Amino acid sequence: MKEIALFYGTYTGVTKIIAEKIANALGKDKIDLFDISEGGEQMADYQKLIIGTSTWSIGELQEDWDAFMPKLQAMDFSGKTVALFGTGDQIGYPDTFLDGMGMLYETFQFRGAKFVGFWPTEGYDFTSPLPLLDENHFVGLAIDEDNQPELTDARIAKWVEMIRPEFGL
């Protein structure tokens, strides 16, 4: 078992691709990668977590995360370090952009998690308040593969450098 686990939920595969890119950038030999659809109980075994999700329909949590939510709500994340990332479409769904990430932030926050990796809102055009830490920061890395795919790799690289020291890498 490695020190860091990355859990993601994906429907079309975009969030899985982003999860793999993050794992590769941090060093795949240092991270255990899990699809939440296959269970997430292993979260309890790790002190350092990276959590990724997409937002579906009109502001809904990705279905595998939604199915896991009752178990997640029963877990304690006190003393655990968590970094979030989300995928979404800020042009097609500006009023629910990254709401899934915001929902997971609230869930982990109320269970004692310490968060790292807040991401600036500059360069995005959306109206949803749910994924925001404050008016200038998302609660985690914001990825829009629908409208800004050319920015994804640079955003991941910068975010990984932000969280690397927080995860002891």
Side-chain angles (χ1 to χ4, degrees):
M1 184 171 83
K2 299 170 183 149
E3 288 187 39
I4 303 167
L6 190 160
F7 291 84
Y8 66 89
T10 193
Y11 187 68
T12 63
V14 171
T15 307
K16 178 181 180 180
I17 291 167
I18 301 304
E20 290 171 344
K21 287 183 176 193
I22 290 168
N24 287 333
L26 283 169
K28 203 162 189 172
D29 60 321
K30 296 175 177 72
I31 297 173
D32 287 326
L33 195 60
F34 297 96
D35 184 331
I36 198 68
S37 70
E38 297 170 7
E41 292 81 5
Q42 305 94 326
M43 278 186 219
D45 300 331
Y46 296 86
Q47 291 300 110
K48 301 169 186 175
L49 300 167
I50 301 170
I51 305 295
T53 190
S54 54
T55 300
W56 277 95
S57 191
I58 302 175
E60 295 176 18
L61 189 59
Q62 191 272 340
E63 64 186 25
D64 298 317
W65 278 111
D66 191 47
F68 185 70
M69 189 57 73
K71 291 179 183 176
L72 188 65
Q73 290 172 334
M75 298 173 97
D76 181 10
F77 293 97
S78 298
K80 294 183 187 284
T81 301
V82 176
L84 300 170
F85 72 93
T87 59
D89 176 351
Q90 66 188 305
I91 303 302
Y93 303 94
D95 55 337
T96 60
F97 180 59
L98 301 179
D99 279 2
M101 183 171 67
M103 289 176 218
L104 288 178
Y105 174 79
E106 289 178 351
T107 301
F108 280 87
Q109 179 186 36
F110 291 127
R111 280 146 194 85
K114 172 194 166 201
F115 290 94
V116 298
F118 302 119
W119 186 251
T121 57
E122 185 178 341
Y124 298 87
D125 186 20
F126 67 99
T127 57
S128 176
L130 194 55
L132 297 177
L133 175 68
D134 57 40
E135 64 184 41
N136 297 313
H137 295 91
F138 289 105
V139 295
L141 175 62
I143 298 292
D144 184 346
E145 278 290 279
D146 293 315
N147 303 291
Q148 298 175 324
E150 72 283 0
L151 301 176
T152 296
D153 289 342
R155 285 175 171 163
I156 290 171
K158 186 174 180 181
W159 187 69
V160 161
E161 289 312 307
M162 288 171 56
I163 68 168
R164 186 180 297 280
E166 304 287 347
F167 283 103
L169 300 173

